[in-house]
Amino acid sequence: MDQIDLKILRLLQENARIPISEIGRLINMTGPAVNERVKRLEEKGVIRSYRAILSPAKMGKAVSAFILIQAERCETFAEFCGQSPDVEELHQISGQYNFLVKVVTESMESLERFRLACSKHGFTQTMTVLSTSFDSKGIALEK
Amino acid sequence: MDQIDLKILRLLQENARIPISEIGRLINMTGPAVNERVKRLEEKGVIRSYRAILSPAKMGKAVSAFILIQAERCETFAEFCGQSPDVEELHQISGQYNFLVKVVTESMESLERFRLACSKHGFTQTMTVLSTSFDSKGIALEK
DNA sequence: CCTGAAAATAGAACCGC
DNA sequence: GCGGTTCTATTTTCAGG
């Protein structure tokens, strides 16, 4: 993993649909050479996936929140979250609480419904997102 | 925004580098028709961007954490976070704390350095991520 | 939204370093 | 190992209907 790989990763992180040949143009390499490196980065698992990032608001999801929970049965709770379409992230954390859940949902009503369902798994604390300064800035790739 | 758009979004959310023509094949439309819809979804801001998702671990970022802070000067703190390469997300939240920060960093040492810097902006509470069940599952697109 | 043709791209095979 | 060249199949793009 050298500087060239970092340049490629930076470009792909910024715009995953950029043509391989365009990357080559920007870093002075031929298409096949770039393609070779990209494939290797995918195989090594450095590149996990390529995803379109959608606007939650435009998809009818106006409310985000983080919920802390002291879940009694971790497995059960993780499964519950995995099946909920509103759960974006689920992390096990250190400290007083067991899990931190990121929820993106339609409305305050649907958030409250979810929180209620959660509270059957343990004591919860909800932090509603008032505004997001930035989200998924991406991994910093210093030159 | 109809069912066809939802199908397209689902495919792009899952694999942003899928060829437009391949999408067409999967949903029984021609390439140009799909292309037209994708461009419209981009212009409307439904599709915000396309990003390669990198593995933090493989990029030398082994430690993730969420930090809650009661920041005294919101603007100053937001600017501080914006300049840190380790801050992935920054949200203003309701409740006892002001901000929730998601940090992805090299090591416990670098996390502690960051936490120390944060504590100059207000009272903090750190929740280290022990394991992540899932991250950015993507917005649910029911058929 | 489709067709059809032109331009651009991706991917494979092969060569040289 | 690494990248370059060439070549072909595929994809994208734009015309016009």
Side-chain angles (χ1 to χ4, degrees), chain B residues 106-125:
Chain B
E106 298 84 53
S107 60
M108 281 296 177
E109 286 73 35
S110 61
L111 173 60
E112 176 55 12
R113 264 198 305 280
F114 181 79
R115 196 202 56 75
L116 237 159
C118 275
S119 67
K120 294 182 179 161
H121 293 265
F123 177 69
T124 67
Q125 183 178 334

Side-chain angles (χ1 to χ4, degrees), chain A residues 10-27:
Chain A
R10 194 172 313 123
L11 290 165
L12 282 172
Q13 193 175 232
E14 182 178 298
N15 173 20
R17 281 191 74 80
I18 185 175
I20 297 293
S21 57
E22 175 69 11
I23 297 177
R25 227 164 278 131
L26 292 169
I27 66 176

